[in-house]
Amino acid sequence: ILSDKYKEHFLSPYLVHYYNDDKELTLSNILNQKDINKGVFDFSGSILPLSSEGKTIWLSFDVMNRSSKAFWKIDFGNSDMGRFGLFNSIESYTYNYIENELIENRFTDQKIILTDIPINQKSKIILKLEMINGTPATLPLRLLHQDVEPSSDKNTIFLIKITLLIGMIFFFS
């Protein structure tokens, strides 16, 4: 349940993982819950470990928006938070149960997903992650209030640059 009291929600404990070994999953399969297997990750931490098999992973979570804001951000975290791995592609959709409407979410320049979650309504957020084969991934997946700044690797890059600069100064002095 989203509220104005909490502006950040780690999603790992609430994610449903869909899989079907013999055929490819579609949005329709997931929304209709037909011909699919699903499971809840047995994981309560903030970082979600994902496979390195290069498969497409479908995730979803239901959310009830009791906040005063309809716009929220899906943040994939940064390396300081435990993000690791590469993806070929990422798609995101929001399904409104009351309107029976599916909307494709959009990415921003900051590599976050903007989603419209109607106020006082239940919605399902669906993520399709196409993994790169041989690369394990971990995601500190979060849902952020529209006023919260998403995570960034700028601080990490800045610290690396400063460390290299100091090292060069000592090396050449």
Side-chain angles (χ1 to χ4, degrees):
I1 295 177
L2 303 179
S3 70
D4 290 327
K5 184 177 179 182
Y6 299 104
K7 298 187 184 287
E8 173 185 44
H9 302 273
F10 279 95
L11 299 176
S12 299
Y14 311 106
L15 292 173
V16 175
H17 175 232
Y18 299 92
Y19 54 94
N20 193 344
D21 294 331
D22 22 344
K23 31 181 173 168
E24 190 170 324
L25 289 173
T26 64
L27 275 170
S28 178
N29 293 125
I30 292 170
L31 291 173
N32 296 325
Q33 300 291 307
K34 291 185 180 178
D35 301 322
I36 62 170
N37 298 313
K38 66 179 180 176
V40 178
F41 286 102
D42 187 21
F43 189 76
S44 60
S46 60
I47 299 174
L48 177 69
L50 298 173
S51 169
S52 63
E53 297 174 2
K55 294 183 178 180
T56 298
I57 297 173
W58 288 85
L59 305 171
S60 78
F61 60 95
D62 287 332
V63 61
M64 180 68 166
N65 189 359
R66 297 275 189 220
S67 76
S68 61
K69 307 286 185 184
F71 291 103
W72 288 75
K73 303 170 188 174
I74 300 172
D75 181 25
F76 290 85
N78 63 29
S79 57
D80 288 342
M81 298 172 64
R83 179 176 177 189
F84 178 78
L86 301 171
F87 300 92
N88 282 326
S89 68
I90 299 173
E91 296 174 22
S92 174
Y93 304 89
T94 301
Y95 177 73
N96 182 318
Y97 284 103
I98 293 178
E99 303 291 328
N100 195 26
E101 179 180 41
L102 182 69
I103 298 170
E104 186 169 1
N105 298 319
R106 63 189 188 282
F107 278 89
T108 68
D109 293 338
Q110 299 169 321
K111 307 292 189 248
I112 60 168
I113 297 172
L114 297 180
T115 183
D116 182 7
I117 304 172
I119 297 171
N120 292 321
Q121 293 184 24
K122 184 178 177 183
S123 297
K124 179 184 285 294
I125 308 294
I126 302 168
L127 298 169
K128 179 182 179 184
L129 309 172
E130 187 180 320
M131 309 289 292
I132 290 180
N133 193 16
T135 307
T138 56
L139 287 178
L141 204 56
R142 304 182 300 162
L143 192 61
L144 302 176
H145 191 270
Q146 70 182 23
D147 299 332
V148 175
E149 285 299 316
S151 58
S152 169
D153 279 327
K154 290 178 184 173
N155 291 340
T156 303
I157 293 169
F158 177 74
L159 288 174
I160 291 171
K161 287 179 180 177
I162 292 295
T163 303
L164 289 173
L165 182 62
I166 292 172
M168 287 174 38
I169 291 171
F170 282 117
F171 181 77
F172 291 111
S173 60

